[in-house]
Amino acid sequence: MAIAKRPSTEMGQRLFEYAAAPEATDHLKIADSYALFVGGRFVEPHSRRRFATVNPATEETLSEVAEADETDVDRAVTAAADAFRSWSRLSGAKRARYIFRLSRLMQERARELAVLETMDGGKPIKESRDVDVPLAAAHFFYYAGWADKLEWAFPNRRPRPLGVAAQVIPWNFPLLMLAWKIAPALAAGNTVVLKPAETTPLSALAFADICQQADLPPGVVNIVTGAGSTGAAVVGHPGVGKVAFTGSTEVGKQIQRATAGSGKHLTLELGGKAANIVFEDAPLDQAIEGIVNGIYFNQGHVCCAGSRLLVQESIVEPLLAKLKSRLGTLRVGDPLDKNTDVGAINSRAQLEKIEGLVNSGIEEGAEIYQPECRLPERGYWFRPTIFTNVAQSYRIAREEIFGPVLSVLTFRTPDEAVEKANNTPYGLSAGVWTDKGSRILWLVERMRAGVVWANTFNRFDPTSPFGGYKESGFGREGGLHGLAAYVELS
Amino acid sequence: MDVRKTYKLYAAGEFVRSESGRTYKPDGQNNVPRSSRKDLRDMVKAARGAFPGWSRRTAMNRGQVLYRVAEMLDGRRAEFRDLLGGGRAAGRQVDAAVETWVWYAGWTDKLHQFAGTVNPVAGPYFNFTLPEPTGVVGVVAPEEPALLGLVRRLAAALCGGNTVVALASERAPLAALTLGEVLATSDFPPGVVNVLSGKREELLPWLASHMDVNAIDAAGCTADQLGQVQEAAAGNLKRVVPPGPGAEALSPHAGLDLMEFKTVWHPIGV
């Protein structure tokens, strides 16, 4: 019996229509303004200043948050130092109990946190609901389990906490980055002063409420909101024993200079320009999904995003055809809609940075492709973008764009793929797509990157160390290595 | 007037009387099932059936289930304290039992990092070794302490992904049988844990010689019983963990003693 041939071209070009499926927000209470969380209480800022945090999908102000000045930061560090004396002497088993509580409370309040994260940051609800929040809770659960096992984690090395940990986190995964920072710090017996990013402070303030609900001793976790100058005050405070920063390579270098000679322990998780390498024997449909996940996940606001696609020459044409067709099915728009794949760009400043780099790509001679899609009238949006005809010297192939923009380059031999993939000052992550296991491991040996994903991309787990080579920073977060970043060892 | 409880076995996720219909009165007051060989075999069958599902759960998920046991047990502290005779020593035993579940809940996703290795073999191969659960484990609980003795062995065995058939303390089985009620409300799939009560001399030979049991934690065996168990275990090369001086300590090795180690070779080359 003959099988009727499906008119594939028509199907591929038809725009799928979806009814709106917005996530409910009525269970969420966002206050008109927030104070600083210092010593277990919400306290008015000494600075008397506040700034607005905006929903990037609507440009509406969600709330006003306090801007901590040096005095505020000093109070937070003092509270953390006071709390350190008892927290560090508490038995590991008791610390574990508190951290397990935090994890359970985050699970219980998961939907509230997910909606808040999406409203404040612009990421699709399906990502905050299925990735950010569950992973954040899992991090606390995993490190709770280490709190009473430090002697097993570092046998014969007398693990001791470092004191007050100053932690500055970015806006791309606000709650998850908070978890990466706070969970191992508390498990090892440190106390914390954390500064969330100025565009996404709300989930950290919700976490402060969770700390209260968990009866966490006052001062163990302190949250100070603000922008760069607040961050500099946190990092530069002399009462701090450990600095952990996730953000741009530029600021990371400033922090390394600022902490030089201070004796502070330092870990940095910085930018990236990951190569996602597709060999001709790769399962193509699977690779397409991996490429899309690699660069369009979270609007490309991912330090380990697969922003440089390296394709073996023999499959460039079929791969690009499939990739472009797949881009046509991505839903760009309301982050609170459960069908949305690509949400809002986090801020106007970030949108302008993306636009600037994309224009440079066009000017330098690359060929741009963007699918047709309707964008909302208000808010910050950028279409999923592919650049072909990209030379390694172009800015779009060298600089971190931190947006939904993919640069496609090609290679002929495995050696050439390695050469091009490593041709960057960054070294955070890499991806490889091939049917041959031996080739994956061959490539893994040659990648100068802290994480290599094989036939998958953008996977994260609390047990799995994450961090960069070269100018992507030093130190690891996650797993046993992530715990080591918060202890002094003999 | 109070409503009194009928103590039952916890088998395949259900509460059942012994198929033999027999009971005994360890405390001179309560009738407790005196399990038969058939009860034991039914439980081994249930444990075997539950093994693929439980062992393939993510380590994270097993940790959540073990932590749930701590939550459920914590809520019934007073009841267990009374069952163990009341008083501060009983209270401390219950506290330690809760702590034991929390402690092993934290090990489920750390055993690999603690005991797994990547082996730098002299050739183009990626070579690594990881622990895996051994299968169905028979746990012989110590006579004393009636709750904590069982919990220590149970939590360690379950942590690594094994399924368990546990023999309660013969003299004081009430806490173990009541623990079954805690386990039943802690999200274990049916059959992962089974608890039976009865006479050691009747049950041990059948547990030790059962061809579908992979290992025996002999924590509660006397020296004579241990010898008999070890001899019968040879029938299918069961691993037998003898009672030892370290048995009371919280240790990842209590879990790892009931695990296999698998080494994987994979070529490296373009």
Side-chain angles (χ1 to χ4, degrees), chain A residues 178-226:
Chain A
L178 173 149
W180 284 23
K181 295 279 181 289
I182 294 183
L186 298 193
N190 305 279
T191 55
V192 164
V193 176
L194 177 127
K195 189 199 85 73
E198 64 267 35
T199 59
T200 54
L202 295 185
S203 55
L205 293 164
F207 180 77
D209 187 56
I210 285 174
C211 291
Q212 287 184 330
Q213 202 180 352
D215 291 327
L216 191 71
V220 171
V221 169
N222 305 275
I223 311 275
V224 289
T225 44

Side-chain angles (χ1 to χ4, degrees), chain A residues 289-328:
Chain A
E289 291 310 305
I291 294 162
V292 168
N293 172 39
I295 185 63
Y296 302 116
F297 174 66
N298 202 31
Q299 299 73 251
H301 300 330
V302 184
C303 44
C304 51
S307 53
R308 284 184 300 150
L309 182 65
L310 290 178
V311 187
Q312 200 155 21
E313 250 182 35
S314 50
I315 55 162
V316 169
E317 281 174 21
L319 184 142
L320 281 178
K322 268 183 186 284
L323 184 59
K324 286 173 180 176
S325 151
R326 177 70 178 86
L327 243 59

Side-chain angles (χ1 to χ4, degrees), chain A residues 385-407:
Chain A
T385 301
I386 300 174
F387 274 115
T388 48
N389 279 333
V390 180
Q392 288 187 81
S393 59
Y394 292 178
R395 285 182 66 200
I396 51 168
R398 288 185 294 120
E399 295 180 28
E400 186 177 39
I401 300 172
F402 228 61
V405 182
L406 180 68
S407 297

